[in-house]
Amino acid sequence: AFILVIVKLFDFILRSSSYFTKAYLLALGLPILLMFLTLDLPNLQSVVLLPQHQDVSDYQVLARNIYVVGDFFLLKTPPWAFKFLYPYIIGMLHILFGQSLASQLFLNAWSAILTVALITRISIYFGTSDRIAFLVGNFFFLQLIFSLSFVLYFRFGLIEPISIMALLLTLVFAIQGEFGLMVALGLIVGMLRLNFVGVIFTSIALLAPGMQGGFYEAWSLLIDWAKSN
């Protein structure tokens, strides 16, 4: 994966004059997803014994209580208040694909690929060139490939990959003025990670020109409020 990303970066720098999200997903994202698929598919029928009292094992316990024990609203085993929705997603993956963590880990890989595309889109909105926006997104992916980041982001079953991807997609909806989708996805992101709520509302103020009259005006309002308070 590291070699593929490096090759595509140099290919883009030397040959391409513009960036296309669909071309990226096909040329770089699809091969990386196939790599993760070959890594996870053989483990689809296996069950991994997880260490207790860690996030990844707690998510599995909560998901089991929802779909197996029947405590659908988690009244007997309340989840962390700031990570309410994630156990439901994990449980649904187990219903569809079995007890293995493979589907959850593959979802994390999907989320990482889409995060790169969203970072590129947001970077272009902030005024960077297509070339620089592409490099920014792919440098984000490069840092995930190193050993420690790779384990935490791709092989540990954490909530961060999907929640970060969903948060960035909320920002893109704000940029595009699709306020209905922005609010709906913002609520989902909030239920994924309640501590993202502040970021969500800040994003609405700073990235939605239709609500504040423009990017410059939105920042001016925030700075004026900070000065007066």
Side-chain angles (χ1 to χ4, degrees):
F2 177 81
I3 295 175
L4 178 61
V5 172
I6 292 296
V7 169
K8 293 305 297 182
L9 278 174
F10 278 108
D11 177 66
F12 180 84
I13 293 171
L14 295 175
R15 298 175 55 188
S16 179
S17 59
S18 61
Y19 170 85
F20 298 98
T21 302
K22 293 181 180 179
Y24 158 77
L25 291 175
L26 289 174
L28 185 59
L30 183 59
I32 291 175
L33 286 174
L34 290 175
M35 292 178 190
F36 277 101
L37 184 61
T38 58
L39 185 63
D40 292 325
L41 192 59
N43 300 321
L44 196 58
Q45 299 299 323
S46 64
V47 177
V48 178
L49 297 178
L50 301 170
Q52 294 183 349
H53 308 300
Q54 293 192 16
D55 286 4
V56 60
S57 59
D58 288 344
Y59 293 141
Q60 313 305 315
V61 171
L62 292 171
R64 185 181 185 279
N65 289 342
I66 292 170
Y67 293 99
V68 178
V69 178
D71 186 16
F72 189 77
F73 295 103
L74 292 175
L75 298 177
K76 299 177 182 179
T77 52
W80 300 296
F82 62 96
K83 296 181 181 180
F84 176 75
L85 187 60
Y86 196 54
Y88 292 87
I89 297 175
I90 298 305
M92 186 57 64
L93 288 175
H94 285 312
I95 290 175
L96 294 174
F97 301 103
Q99 294 300 309
S100 171
L101 286 176
S103 59
Q104 185 178 345
L105 301 180
F106 190 67
L107 177 62
N108 287 351
W110 258 108
S111 298
I113 295 298
L114 294 176
T115 295
V116 174
L118 294 171
I119 288 174
T120 303
R121 174 69 180 85
I122 294 170
S123 298
I124 292 173
Y125 172 78
F126 279 114
T128 63
S129 65
D130 292 356
R131 189 183 301 274
I132 296 300
F134 181 85
L135 293 176
V136 169
N138 280 275
F139 276 125
F140 168 80
F141 190 83
L142 279 176
Q143 71 174 343
L144 298 181
I145 296 176
F146 296 111
S147 57
L148 179 60
S149 300
F150 182 87
V151 172
L152 290 176
Y153 212 83
F154 294 113
R155 316 308 300 170
F156 215 62
L158 298 179
I159 192 175
E160 279 70 22
I162 187 173
S163 60
I164 291 173
M165 183 272 294
L167 174 64
L168 293 176
L169 185 57
T170 305
L171 305 189
V172 170
F173 287 149
I175 290 171
Q176 296 174 348
E178 299 179 20
F179 301 120
L181 293 173
M182 177 193 70
V183 172
L185 189 55
L187 292 174
I188 294 174
V189 173
M191 288 189 289
L192 281 172
R193 288 204 62 132
L194 195 59
N195 52 347
F196 277 1
V197 169
V199 179
I200 295 169
F201 282 104
T202 302
S203 303
I204 293 173
L206 300 182
L207 296 178
M211 297 182 69
Q212 292 291 352
F215 179 73
Y216 175 80
E217 290 80 4
W219 273 104
S220 299
L221 289 173
L222 178 64
I223 294 172
D224 291 341
W225 176 87
K227 289 179 179 179
S228 62
N229 291 275

